[in-house]
Amino acid sequence: MRNRRNHTGLINGTASLISIALGLIFGFLLLLVFNASFAVSGFNNLMTTGFASSEKLAKVFYQSAPLLMTGLSVAFAFKTGLFNIGATGQYTLGAFFALMGVVQFRLPWWMGLILGMVGGALLGLIPGVCKALFNVNEVITSIMFNWIALFAVNLSINNMPLMLANAWGAINKDRTAALTSSKFMAYNPNATIPKAGLDKLLGSNYMNIGVFIAILVAVIIWIVMNRTTFGYELKACGYNRHASNYAGINAKRNIILSMTISGALAGIGGGLYYLSGTAQYTLVKSLLGMGFNGIPVALLASSNPIGTIFSALFVSYIQVGGDALQPEYSREIIDIIIAAIIYLSAFSLLMRGWIAKRLLRNQKDNTNMGDEAPAEPANEAESGVKAQ
Amino acid sequence: MSEYVIEMLNITKKFPGIIANDDITLQLKKGEIHALLGENGAGKSTLMSVLFGLYQPEAGEIKKDGEIVKINDPNDANRLNIGMVHQHFKLVEIFSVLDNIILGVEQTKNGFLQKKDARRKVMELSEKYGLQVDPDALIEDIGVGMQQRVEILKMLFRDNDILIFDEPTAVLTPQEIDELMQIMRNFAREGKSILFITHKLNEIMAVADRVTVLRKGKCIGTLDVADTDVDQLAEMMVGRKVNFSVDKAPSKPGEPALTVRNLMVGDKRHTKKKVNNVSFCVHKGEIVGIAGIDGNGQSELVYALTGLTKPESGVVYIGEHDITHNSIRERNDLGLSHIPEDRHKYGLVLDYTLAENLILKNYYTEEFQRHGFLRFDEMYRYSEELIRRFDIRSGQGSATVTRSMSGGNQQKAIVARELSLQPEVLIAVQPTRGLDVGAIEYIHKQIVAARDDRKAVLLVSLELDEVMSLSDRILVMYEGEIVAEVQGSSATAHELGLYMSGANRQAPMEVEA
Amino acid sequence: MKKVLSILLALVLVMGLYTFAAAEGTYEIALVTDVGNIDDHSFNQSTWEGVKAFAEDKGISYNYYRPSEDSDEARVESMKSAIDKGAKTIVCPGYLFATSAATIATQYPDVNILLIDTAPTSDKPLTNVYSILYQEEQSGYFAGYAAVKDGYTKLGFLGGMAVPAVVRYGYGFVQGADAAAVEMGLTDVTMKYWYCDSFAPSDDIKIKMDGWYTEGTEVVFACGGGIYLSAIAAATAANGKVIGVDVDQALDSDLIITSAMKNLKNSVVLALTKLYDNGGTWGDLGGTTATLGAADDCTGLPTAKDSWRFKTFTVDEYTAIFNKVKSGEIVVSNNIDTAPTVTAVTVDYQN
């Protein structure tokens, strides 16, 4: 009876894999274009570096944790019919709240993560409220709040002397405190996410339990979306707001909740990254790419929370592989190649429609449909377009 | 010169998994009114899309005046003087009547519009065929009847002589239908050829010269209307004998179940009320039908009753409870069921499975939920039961995504869900819209069965036949007001038509209860 | 399905190409950038030019690496990549390397590290690290001296963050201006002095500079990363002048009358030459920190014809004062704890 579900999973999975393959082929072509003599070894590096050493594997995990969270944030909003393009702002505010927790209030790391979640949630709440109560498009509000968050955070950090690196023995104050500097460790030894011996195991400072926290959150989100009445309501609102309203579901409340949760997820991502001990928040005036990278992660996973785990790992893996293209390819070229691969991979959405059509055709050719034909063919074609 | 102006010969058009048109031949004579009859999904729309170049057929050819023509897009069709009045009008709401008529064939001079000649031509056509329009009125301000006239004038303005009318009577009153028929006869006399797409047998008998019947993509036959009758046509269309009358015993109304007093619903753009001081009552064990032309406040009335919008003033009771300010969920819990007019917009979450849609209104009850987690086993059990009881057919049973289901089965799913809630009051809006005869019969039976089960039913439909055959009492709505109340058994289409068009109204009624 | 197959086939082909994997390059001298790129018109660029000049001259393989993010861990990672690719010497430009260079030096004792503009953060001496610092106060001194000599009397100092190097530039600038004013017997020379707490251009800085130029400031010494862009933007509107920093920035704008340089390129070449002359180890230099200045021709103003944009101040006059500093006749104070004492110039320290 439930084979339809498995079917969808199969289609999504195949679509993602084909898209990835297409992206990689395109990436290889770019390698050829930019520096043909190193294209083969370069592609080899791109594909194998992530698994080549435990250190690199640690980096894959390290980068994938925040990516997974922002991807999850975007995917969650997608599932509920909203486009959270504000993940980067929520991520930034989450990072700030988390850092403030461990630096200013001397809290342990897990309290920092919770604060980060709160920060992201607050920033997600605003577009949610605007959308629900005043019907202001969440894309517009969340884009604007990206910048508001960025500058508010920079302003705040600038005015919190304790937060800056130079309060802890460094000479510069263009970034936040180094949480692993000896001076800071004496002040708050529990500020960074524990490594649980994994750093020794994999031989890299990058490694901590962050990626496992992120995976756990992804699983929880999957359960919420697919097993609870709350998830049922959220998805119903996402698919068809009118029908949900008609059925007595409080669509406005769900929009607000959905954006808030989406923001909270991105906020946790900010916390995971900046409490890792390796990264310091630098006071720059451009939006952080981590939030935007969540979009292809979500698309590649067809917004499935479990799929997000794999797509985040994949994107991170490709990024680590990309770094290994140096020095034969410059960093800018590498960024172009990686972006091309990731974004082509995110075409899985298109690919899914294509595969679904193929499968459907085969199926219909093999078995007659039994009962009546589905609606008017003309309409069917139309709705097919909409469905994509 | 061929006897036929347009011939579609042996047209075959396939879609994945379905043959929409299977070897269909349709020949249109000059100066005739030719009806194209078939249920939804019979292939009428596909055939017309082929004629307009929207689809290319796998087999078959199209001839104009005996010459083979190739139609690649609607512009080609227009060059061959083929015009169409679509079921859903293709008009720019904020443009004037004149602007809509000339849209796409505007004359310009130095880049400026030249509307003078166009205006004269429109006025001439309008007088010649009795198509009264105000060329300067905005489309959004005129009624559907006049909008249809604008669509017809659009064809005439382009000098089309092959006119296709797609379900043109759906939005008209009986009187307006008569007028339209007369206009169509005038066209035919002028030598224009008319293709009249419909599923209403009476209209074919009244106006058409010949009729071609389609069923499930196949051409069943072409007949002279003079040599046939309604029963034969119906049998050709459906493939079996059809019983049009609804068998039902006289109603035995009990105590009031749904009471509405002085309900007012405003309009964002106009000062005129959408629902103006409406009062009525539906008792247990009766079906009250609301008749009226589309856009006379029926939808707004239903939205206010079900809680989708807030009324300006007035009171609504379910039984003894004042529900005027209650949420939709609270109304549902008090026993209000609602079959919405637009099943895709309101009735279903199309990307959910059938099972998920069947619990859309009670997923939160103890039956389907424990500690916030859905009980999937219960959901599937319930879904299987409803599928069996209401004979809902789909590819993969409970796990079918409803988007892939046929319209009739989608509607059955909604009816199943709403009736299974054991409602006190059922509000059924256009419950059979777009369905085939078999599904219509079935749903009508279910509604009567609900009545006999002592439910109160409020039926809102634009199909006068449906209102008349199901209702125990009929209320007629015109411009937001209830202008008449008639007993279902004694009502005639002519009488109702006069009320629906505003030509007649009863003295203000006293509200009972 | 055919398309799917063909795609898979193509993929298999690509995989097949692995068997012919071309030899990967190795590079003996590696530059790792701090976060920016080698075309930043600043540290990374001039260091890179030094590496390039030396390596090409000697026929040694070289290349550069850019970290994946702005963190010590990423810099460590890039240095490791460089070592994996055969680097025997790693050049690290900028103070951001203080910690990461020390980490690598400890982990890879056989790799030589040349650290520019900072000393490693380490408790133990690291014999494979040679650090270079500069006497920025001398460059600042020359710039201040030249500006006043050229007739400018209303000066401004726009510092980035008040890190030691920037402060040394600034205080040197004050001392140079004062010396020139004394020499010329002027008493009306004024200077506005401000740290903007940033190394990136911004509207805030531009607004502040707009104010300065409007109030009469004629030339501003923009000292720190990209903030000179904000100064130039303001100067363009007010027809003012700017003094560049670190490298010869004459090409960036016609408004730049001179640049207070430290000759990174030269010092990198000098250091690498010493390294290779010594058989590929630092030898005595290991673990030491050199402070280079006029004596090593590593501080000064650009004297190329295109860069010399003074009205009256001549190259000869500059050479004279340069030689005095070079010989030690004039000693510019490098005290960064207290502001220099002035006798002729009025300095307005702003917050």
Side-chain angles (χ1 to χ4, degrees):
Chain A
M1 264 300 133
R2 304 188 192 180
N3 55 359
R4 172 80 200 180
R5 283 162 189 276
N6 300 338
H7 212 63
T8 325
L10 180 77
I11 291 175
N12 290 350
T14 326
S16 298
L17 287 178
I18 292 181
S19 308
I20 288 172
L22 280 178
L24 290 175
I25 290 169
F26 187 64
F28 180 68
L29 292 178
L30 286 178
L31 286 174
L32 275 174
V33 169
F34 288 119
N35 191 346
S37 51
F38 286 98
V40 172
S41 65
F43 193 70
N44 194 18
N45 279 343
L46 184 69
M47 294 300 292
T48 56
T49 302
F51 285 144
S53 70
S54 60
E55 266 178 283
K56 294 294 180 187
L57 188 64
K59 178 127 194 240
V60 171
F61 288 142
Y62 162 74
Q63 283 187 343
S64 65
L67 260 181
L68 173 48
M69 294 314 299
T70 52
L72 207 52
S73 163
V74 176
F76 184 82
F78 270 151
K79 271 279 177 204
T80 57
L82 297 162
F83 187 16
N84 179 15
I85 204 167
T88 181
Q90 294 142 13
Y91 175 84
T92 309
L93 198 69
F96 171 63
F97 269 52
L99 285 169
M100 195 165 64
V102 301
V103 179
Q104 209 76 24
F105 303 126
R106 225 168 157 171
L107 298 170
W109 62 277
W110 56 272
M111 288 287 283
L113 279 188
I114 292 173
L115 271 178
M117 185 174 89
V118 172
L122 280 178
L123 206 66
L125 174 73
I126 300 167
V129 168
C130 290
K131 169 93 177 182
L133 301 187
F134 314 113
N135 202 21
V136 180
N137 191 310
E138 78 278 6
V139 172
I140 294 169
T141 355
S142 53
I143 285 181
M144 293 200 290
F145 271 90
N146 280 339
W147 292 101
I148 293 172
L150 177 73
F151 286 110
V153 166
N154 283 356
L155 182 73
S156 310
I157 292 181
N158 249 324
N159 289 294
M160 300 166 89
L162 212 53
M163 295 281 280
L164 295 165
N166 63 355
W168 306 97
I171 53 166
N172 52 332
K173 54 178 197 169
D174 65 336
R175 59 194 61 207
T176 54
L179 303 184
T180 47
S181 66
S182 50
K183 211 171 163 190
F184 192 88
M185 292 289 275
Y187 168 77
N188 183 356
N190 294 321
T192 52
I193 299 169
K195 300 188 183 295
L198 291 163
D199 54 332
K200 302 278 182 308
L201 187 70
L202 296 179
S204 168
N205 267 336
Y206 280 132
M207 196 59 208
N208 60 40
I209 61 167
V211 66
F212 301 106
I213 295 174
I215 290 174
L216 182 71
V217 175
V219 171
I220 292 172
I221 290 295
W222 184 85
I223 292 173
V224 168
M225 288 308 276
N226 293 296
R227 286 284 172 262
T228 66
T229 49
F230 179 54
Y232 176 90
E233 287 188 6
L234 286 178
K235 277 191 294 179
C237 288
Y239 286 136
N240 186 342
R241 190 152 298 150
H242 298 289
S244 312
N245 200 22
Y246 150 87
I249 297 171
N250 190 337
K252 288 182 177 173
R253 188 191 70 135
N254 280 333
I255 289 171
I256 296 174
L257 275 176
S258 163
M259 279 306 279
T260 307
I261 292 172
S262 175
L265 293 170
I268 296 175
L272 283 178
Y273 188 65
Y274 289 101
L275 296 186
S276 64
T278 41
Q280 288 162 275
Y281 180 85
T282 44
L283 298 166
V284 288
K285 284 166 183 167
S286 54
L287 296 173
L288 301 170
M290 198 65 87
F292 292 119
N293 286 344
I295 297 171
V297 166
L299 288 176
L300 184 54
S302 302
S303 299
N304 181 321
I306 301 297
T308 317
I309 300 173
F310 297 103
S311 64
L313 283 168
F314 167 73
V315 170
S316 176
Y317 185 90
I318 284 292
Q319 282 175 342
V320 169
D323 280 340
L325 293 175
Q326 290 199 79
E328 286 86 6
Y329 296 86
S330 69
R331 173 117 214 113
E332 288 77 5
I333 300 291
I334 295 168
D335 285 344
I336 293 174
I337 292 170
I338 294 177
I341 293 175
I342 293 175
Y343 279 78
L344 261 182
S345 307
F347 276 10
S348 61
L349 213 61
L350 282 175
M351 204 56 69
R352 191 172 57 181
W354 182 73
I355 294 175
K357 243 184 241 165
R358 283 286 165 130
L359 278 179
L360 218 62
R361 191 174 302 172
N362 289 346
Q363 211 175 44
K364 280 186 182 170
D365 287 345
N366 297 341
T367 65
N368 67 344
M369 279 303 276
D371 38 59
E372 331 158 36
E376 286 260 282
N379 299 341
E380 194 199 30
E382 239 171 80
S383 62
V385 171
K386 263 185 233 147
Q388 286 171 18
Chain B
M1 192 75 182
S2 165
E3 178 189 5
Y4 301 108
V5 282
I6 282 283
E7 290 170 274
M8 299 182 77
L9 301 172
N10 308 101
I11 300 289
T12 297
K13 175 67 199 166
K14 290 178 189 168
F15 290 102
I18 178 172
I19 303 175
N21 285 167
D22 186 0
D23 194 22
I24 290 180
T25 292
L26 177 71
Q27 292 169 307
L28 182 60
K29 286 181 190 164
K30 188 172 167 60
E32 78 164 340
I33 300 178
H34 191 121
L36 187 58
L37 176 67
E39 295 197 77
N40 283 288
K44 295 172 300 190
S45 297
T46 307
L47 192 65
M48 288 306 111
S49 298
V50 169
L51 182 58
F52 270 83
L54 295 169
Y55 295 136
Q56 296 305 318
E58 272 84 33
E61 55 194 20
I62 301 174
K63 285 184 182 174
K64 163 99 200 238
D65 297 327
E67 310 267 318
I68 292 182
V69 289
K70 182 91 183 123
I71 301 176
N72 288 318
D73 57 44
N75 292 332
D76 288 344
N78 194 32
R79 271 192 285 280
L80 296 172
N81 289 333
I82 304 172
M84 179 156 172
V85 175
H86 294 269
Q87 189 175 0
H88 301 286
F89 303 147
K90 315 266 185 209
L91 296 170
V92 183
E93 290 262 305
I94 55 162
F95 273 16
S96 73
V97 167
L98 182 64
D99 289 344
N100 265 289
I101 291 173
I102 64 173
L103 189 66
V105 291
E106 313 89 347
Q107 283 189 329
T108 57
K109 191 167 160 191
N110 304 328
F112 288 95
L113 274 177
Q114 300 297 312
K115 292 204 257 188
K116 221 167 163 186
D117 291 345
R119 178 184 295 269
R120 200 170 51 236
K121 184 170 173 187
V122 168
M123 295 318 287
E124 279 169 15
L125 289 169
S126 146
E127 250 166 63
K128 182 170 170 194
Y129 296 103
L131 293 160
Q132 272 76 33
V133 291
D134 170 3
D136 298 313
L138 297 186
I139 295 297
E140 61 182 6
D141 293 335
I142 62 178
V144 279
M146 196 183 281
Q147 287 184 11
Q148 189 175 62
R149 274 176 244 155
V150 175
E151 283 281 14
I152 296 171
L153 279 169
K154 258 167 82 176
M155 295 192 298
L156 299 176
F157 187 79
R158 284 158 179 72
D159 299 320
N160 292 333
D161 46 25
I162 296 152
L163 311 180
I164 302 170
F165 288 85
D166 186 7
E167 301 276 1
T169 58
V171 294
L172 303 179
T173 62
Q175 283 75 14
E176 281 175 322
I177 292 173
D178 288 343
E179 273 176 46
L180 177 69
M181 303 268 166
Q182 194 51 49
I183 291 168
M184 284 163 74
R185 283 190 204 99
N186 288 347
F187 287 153
R189 244 198 315 278
E190 288 273 327
K192 293 185 189 296
S193 313
I194 293 174
L195 205 50
F196 177 34
I197 304 171
T198 187
H199 65 272
K200 292 184 184 166
L201 305 171
N202 297 336
E203 292 168 4
I204 294 177
M205 300 310 293
V207 74
D209 300 315
R210 294 198 305 153
V211 54
T212 297
V213 185
L214 302 187
R215 186 171 75 228
K216 293 192 175 165
K218 289 195 169 62
C219 185
I220 303 301
T222 300
L223 305 172
D224 281 330
V225 171
D227 301 339
T228 184
D229 58 34
V230 171
D231 289 332
Q232 189 192 1
L233 286 178
E235 200 179 329
M236 285 173 78
M237 173 168 80
V238 183
R240 61 180 166 83
K241 291 240 182 273
V242 181
N243 182 12
F244 282 110
S245 59
V246 180
D247 294 324
K248 63 178 172 67
S251 74
K252 302 183 202 73
E255 63 258 47
L258 174 71
T259 312
V260 181
R261 278 202 202 133
N262 306 101
L263 195 71
M264 305 277 256
V265 179
D267 185 336
K268 272 181 202 140
R269 283 186 304 182
H270 302 283
T271 48
K272 214 167 120 189
K273 305 289 179 226
K274 283 285 186 186
V275 174
N276 192 359
N277 201 17
V278 162
S279 304
F280 64 88
C281 179
V282 185
H283 302 87
K284 285 187 177 175
E286 78 168 340
I287 300 175
V288 172
I290 292 190
I293 302 171
D294 196 10
N296 274 285
Q298 302 97 312
S299 303
E300 288 78 7
L301 171 65
V302 170
Y303 293 156
L305 296 182
T306 53
L308 285 167
T309 58
K310 295 229 173 304
E312 272 177 13
S313 62
V315 200
V316 181
Y317 292 95
I318 289 179
E320 303 285 304
H321 302 275
D322 177 353
I323 59 155
T324 318
H325 301 292
N326 284 25
S327 70
I328 297 173
R329 167 93 18 116
E330 286 163 342
R331 291 173 204 231
N332 293 345
D333 289 343
L334 281 169
L336 181 71
S337 268
H338 175 198
I339 299 172
E341 62 179 317
D342 188 334
R343 59 175 164 261
H344 288 174
K345 186 173 176 188
Y346 290 108
L348 295 168
V349 176
L350 286 173
D351 293 304
Y352 265 176
T353 62
L354 179 54
E356 284 168 325
N357 267 299
L358 288 173
I359 61 162
L360 193 60
K361 279 203 174 162
N362 49 2
Y363 66 89
Y364 56 90
T365 57
E366 278 301 306
E367 192 180 356
F368 300 111
Q369 173 260 133
R370 191 167 288 159
H371 311 303
F373 284 84
L374 277 177
R375 300 171 65 182
F376 285 91
D377 45 346
E378 286 299 314
M379 177 178 90
Y380 281 107
R381 188 195 52 70
Y382 183 74
S383 160
E384 296 299 328
E385 186 193 319
L386 260 55
I387 288 173
R388 189 179 46 75
R389 258 177 48 206
F390 288 85
D391 189 30
I392 306 167
R393 294 182 197 174
S394 61
Q396 286 131 325
S398 294
T400 315
V401 174
T402 42
R403 188 183 287 286
S404 69
M405 290 166 55
S406 70
N409 281 303
Q410 287 177 345
Q411 189 71 16
K412 275 187 190 170
I414 296 173
V415 172
R417 180 182 70 210
E418 296 305 316
L419 289 178
S420 306
L421 291 172
Q422 296 298 324
E424 295 300 313
V425 178
L426 171 68
I427 298 180
V429 189
Q430 300 268 71
T432 59
R433 185 159 94 168
L435 301 189
D436 60 46
V437 174
I440 292 173
E441 278 182 309
Y442 183 82
I443 287 173
H444 282 176
K445 263 186 214 149
Q446 293 297 329
I447 289 175
V448 173
R451 180 202 75 165
D452 294 342
D453 199 22
R454 309 302 292 161
K455 318 276 188 227
V457 179
L458 181 68
L459 170 74
V460 180
S461 178
L462 302 178
E463 301 274 351
L464 200 48
D465 293 341
E466 182 170 50
V467 174
M468 285 167 59
S469 58
L470 281 181
S471 308
D472 300 314
R473 276 190 298 142
I474 299 173
L475 305 174
V476 183
M477 265 189 103
Y478 174 71
E479 296 203 330
E481 292 179 69
I482 290 184
V483 294
E485 174 178 340
V486 242
Q487 288 305 310
S489 48
S490 64
T492 65
H494 179 76
E495 180 194 8
L496 290 174
L498 290 174
Y499 290 129
M500 283 159 70
S501 61
N504 199 354
R505 68 180 292 162
Q506 293 176 351
M509 289 165 291
E510 289 300 312
V511 191
E512 51 185 314
Chain C
M1 256 358 240
K2 255 187 225 154
K3 268 188 198 163
V4 181
L5 267 177
S6 59
I7 289 165
L8 287 176
L9 206 69
L11 206 68
V12 169
L13 272 176
V14 171
M15 298 289 182
L17 280 173
Y18 281 167
T19 42
F20 304 101
E24 291 192 38
T26 56
Y27 310 96
E28 196 172 318
I29 302 177
L31 172 92
V32 176
T33 68
D34 52 358
V35 314
N37 207 349
I38 50 153
D39 58 356
D40 64 353
H41 293 208
S42 183
F43 268 57
N44 293 317
Q45 181 166 358
S46 32
T47 312
W48 174 239
E49 282 165 2
V51 169
K52 204 169 159 179
F54 175 79
E56 283 183 356
D57 186 40
K58 303 276 187 215
I60 300 168
S61 58
Y62 67 103
N63 218 323
Y64 76 96
Y65 301 79
R66 195 175 161 194
S68 61
E69 58 177 29
D70 183 3
S71 75
D72 284 339
E73 204 54 46
R75 283 182 274 273
V76 166
E77 192 193 353
S78 278
M79 284 189 264
K80 281 185 181 169
S81 301
I83 293 167
D84 287 344
K85 293 250 180 185
K88 290 178 183 154
T89 304
I90 301 177
V91 183
C92 306
Y95 67 88
L96 287 173
F97 279 100
T99 315
S100 46
T103 309
I104 288 291
T106 317
Q107 223 168 324
Y108 298 88
D110 298 334
V111 174
N112 302 307
I113 292 173
L114 175 57
L115 192 52
I116 313 283
D117 213 36
T118 184
T121 311
S122 171
D123 307 331
K124 300 175 293 250
L126 299 163
T127 54
N128 54 338
V129 180
Y130 176 49
S131 320
I132 297 176
L133 297 179
Y134 297 89
Q135 292 172 288
E136 288 90 358
E137 66 277 8
Q138 292 178 347
S139 302
Y141 183 90
F142 297 137
Y145 182 85
V148 174
K149 274 287 195 180
D150 201 41
Y152 296 98
T153 55
K154 291 189 168 57
L155 314 180
F157 174 78
L158 166 64
M161 283 185 271
V163 298
V166 171
V167 179
R168 284 199 292 268
Y169 267 125
Y171 286 175
F173 189 61
V174 175
Q175 293 175 57
D178 193 49
V182 170
E183 210 173 278
M184 295 165 75
L186 298 172
T187 52
D188 61 342
V189 177
T190 59
M191 186 189 295
K192 293 188 162 70
Y193 193 106
W194 181 57
Y195 298 111
C196 65
D197 276 345
S198 164
F199 284 134
S202 77
D203 290 341
D204 304 341
I205 303 174
K206 182 180 175 292
I207 289 165
K208 179 88 173 178
M209 290 304 106
D210 283 336
W212 281 11
Y213 284 117
T214 312
E215 288 162 24
T217 301
E218 296 157 337
V219 61
V220 170
F221 178 19
C223 179
I227 59 174
Y228 72 95
L229 293 168
S230 297
I232 287 173
T236 310
N239 205 21
K241 302 288 184 202
V242 176
I243 296 171
V245 75
D246 288 344
V247 297
D248 182 2
Q249 295 183 315
L251 286 175
D252 285 316
S253 165
D254 291 340
L255 300 175
I256 292 184
I257 55 169
T258 189
S259 304
M261 296 202 307
K262 36 191 183 190
N263 200 332
L264 291 132
K265 179 179 170 185
N266 196 17
S267 50
V268 168
V269 173
L270 279 177
L272 289 176
T273 309
K274 282 178 192 164
L275 176 71
Y276 276 81
D277 287 351
N278 198 32
T281 62
W282 290 121
D284 293 345
L285 297 176
T288 64
T289 301
T291 308
L292 305 180
D296 316 275
D297 283 331
C298 282
T299 51
L301 303 180
T303 50
K305 196 167 168 293
D306 288 343
S307 307
W308 195 265
R309 292 172 183 163
F310 293 109
K311 295 166 289 192
T312 55
F313 188 62
T314 63
V315 178
D316 288 342
E317 283 177 282
Y318 166 69
T319 314
I321 187 79
F322 179 81
N323 285 333
K324 280 185 189 170
V325 174
K326 185 172 181 173
S327 67
E329 192 182 335
I330 294 175
V331 177
V332 185
S333 164
N334 64 355
N335 181 356
I336 57 167
D337 297 324
T338 50
T341 44
V342 286
T343 49
V345 175
T346 321
V347 185
D348 170 17
Y349 292 98
Q350 303 183 344
N351 283 316

